[in-house]
Amino acid sequence: MISSPFGKDLGSMNVDLENYTYYQMNNIDSNASTLRAGITEIAENYGYDDIKININSQFGEDQMPMEVTVDGVSMVPTLQDGENVIIQKNKKNPKVGDIIVVKDPEETLLIKRLGNISGDRIFLSSDNNDTVTAIVNGSYVEMIALEKWTNASNVVGVAKIFNV
């Protein structure tokens, strides 16, 4: 145990803070407010009060990064299958042409190019328009990359750093 002033176990608190922060950064539904609230609660549990939390990342104040892994070839040649990408978790103001990550009700996470915006709907497009042959249930099937409309509220963030 690390001894500290006032008998507080800073070592355990730091472990709790690191684990919580890592989880929140990779939680698609978290944001700076939820991170700040959780850190405050952990610090209070260790006897601290009057806590002020500043969240800063490579994207700025109150901006959270998240690492995602590309699964598939729909974004080739821009993104490769297995490539790690850092996104800026931000649901506001993605622009047409941005590469975004969305939480899709029919899939899990999709990484696609933002092709169009119409009100509260966005069109997800793929960079790879080639037909791919895949084996589905033991049969060969010709497939093309998924392109679809979805709700803008499904946006998790915008891709910012590639080939991590």
Side-chain angles (χ1 to χ4, degrees), residues 13-41:
M13 184 178 79
N14 282 336
V15 168
D16 289 348
L17 289 169
E18 288 173 13
N19 289 337
Y20 179 78
T21 301
Y22 179 80
Y23 172 77
Q24 289 301 312
M25 286 176 57
N26 292 295
N27 176 347
I28 60 175
D29 295 318
S30 69
N31 57 41
S33 296
T34 58
L35 178 61
R36 187 177 291 105
I39 290 171
T40 299
E41 182 178 337

Side-chain angles (χ1 to χ4, degrees), residues 27-152:
N27 176 347
I28 60 175
D29 295 318
S30 69
N31 57 41
S33 296
T34 58
L35 178 61
R36 187 177 291 105
I39 290 171
T40 299
E41 182 178 337
I42 290 168
E44 287 172 345
N45 289 341
Y46 281 89
Y48 289 89
D49 56 10
D50 194 28
I51 302 158
K52 293 179 176 46
I53 308 291
N54 295 319
I55 298 173
N56 292 296
S57 75
Q58 66 267 52
F59 303 126
E61 187 175 344
D62 289 337
Q63 300 298 311
M64 290 179 57
M66 179 178 167
E67 184 175 0
V68 296
T69 302
V70 177
D71 182 15
V73 295
S74 69
M75 289 299 292
V76 168
T78 309
L79 302 174
Q80 303 300 314
D81 185 31
E83 180 178 339
N84 290 327
V85 176
I86 303 293
I87 67 169
Q88 177 183 3
K89 290 170 70 173
N90 184 353
K91 297 176 181 280
K92 298 177 183 172
N93 303 323
K95 296 172 185 59
V96 170
D98 284 346
I99 296 175
I100 61 173
V101 171
V102 297
K103 180 173 75 172
D104 186 67
E106 297 171 14
E107 304 284 331
T108 51
L109 290 181
L110 297 174
I111 186 163
K112 297 289 182 186
R113 191 166 301 279
L114 178 53
N116 197 351
I117 301 172
S118 179
D120 65 347
R121 308 270 298 154
I122 58 174
F123 185 73
L124 307 176
S125 62
S126 300
D127 286 3
N128 185 354
N129 295 317
D130 293 339
T131 302
V132 176
T133 302
I135 299 175
V136 178
N137 296 328
S139 300
Y140 288 97
V141 177
E142 295 288 318
M143 300 176 72
I144 59 170
L146 175 71
E147 294 190 334
K148 65 187 286 183
W149 286 93
T150 191
N151 291 323

